[in-house]
Amino acid sequence: MPSVLLRPTADAARELARAVIGDLGNRWLHTAAVAARAEQLAAAVPPVDREILIASAWLHDIGYGELARATGFHPLDGARLLDRHGWPIRISSLVANHSGACFVAAVHGLEAEMAHYPDEASPTSDALTFADQTVGSRGEPLAIDDRIADMLHRHGPGSPNALVAHVRTPHIRAIADRVRARLGAVR
Ligand SMILES: [Fe+2]
């Protein structure tokens, strides 16, 4: 696995992701499908950010890999692995904040650790979350509300995800509305 990053390209992101989570079955199928979804969302982000979006899609769940595991909170563990591999703070911050991770981080008491990774709250971070939330856990296409329902079912009623669903779900729906508006605006 490369320890020094020359260019933070989508190809480099895919190869790092393959090395860390390529053996995780459904997780890898989900990741590849999110990356493909991100490619379809190129029109929703500035042209200069298209490769950053696709790279962050390949990397967004890298924190589930054995090499990354530390706190057990995958957005933060993934961001820290990227730091160790020399990836730009912008990409590690996109990974740390994907899909409303800040709400779940608060339940885990990880606000201080997450403060190292500012949420850019931009069309690019919106598109990353939209891609993740429209692909199911086995890589299948899913509507946003079905994806959220599946996630809550998998994590269980007392889980950190369930405890913040009342704030995280509207956050994700608002992101989806913004991405759809951006896609509509360019058609
Ligand atoms: Fe994901």
Side-chain angles (χ1 to χ4, degrees):
M1 188 186 317
S3 57
V4 176
L5 186 72
L6 300 178
R7 273 187 70 219
T9 62
D11 285 348
R14 184 187 61 237
E15 291 316 307
L16 179 59
R18 192 196 304 279
V20 179
I21 57 170
D23 61 345
L24 293 188
N26 286 340
R27 182 72 56 194
W28 178 247
L29 295 179
H30 165 82
T31 295
V34 171
R37 194 87 179 90
E39 290 192 29
Q40 296 167 356
L41 297 174
V45 304
V48 72
D49 274 5
R50 285 175 184 169
E51 185 140 18
I52 287 168
L53 170 63
I54 297 164
S56 59
W58 277 114
L59 297 166
H60 81 282
D61 273 350
I62 207 169
Y64 283 112
E66 190 70 34
L67 268 176
R69 279 187 162 274
T71 68
F73 184 54
H74 82 273
L76 179 63
D77 289 347
R80 287 176 163 176
L81 181 74
L82 293 172
D83 287 350
R84 295 198 293 278
H85 284 265
W87 284 73
I89 184 74
R90 186 173 176 205
I91 292 185
S92 52
S93 296
L94 283 164
V95 167
N97 288 286
H98 79 270
S99 294
C102 59
F103 299 111
V104 188
V107 181
H108 288 286
L110 292 168
E111 295 108 315
E113 290 81 353
M114 288 287 281
H116 181 66
Y117 303 101
D119 182 358
E120 66 177 55
S122 71
T124 303
S125 62
D126 282 354
L128 175 61
T129 290
F130 187 82
D132 187 31
Q133 295 299 316
T134 53
V135 170
S137 58
R138 296 172 298 281
E140 73 280 22
L142 268 190
I144 295 260
D145 284 346
D146 293 338
R147 167 78 162 132
I148 291 169
D150 177 64
M151 178 272 298
L152 290 173
H153 177 72
R154 281 185 291 111
H155 288 263
S159 67
N161 287 283
L163 293 176
V164 297
H166 64 293
V167 283
R168 185 170 173 241
T169 300
H171 170 82
I172 290 171
R173 287 196 183 121
I175 286 173
D177 288 345
R178 291 197 295 269
V179 172
R180 289 193 191 104
R182 290 180 191 120
L183 290 172
V186 297
R187 279 192 187 123

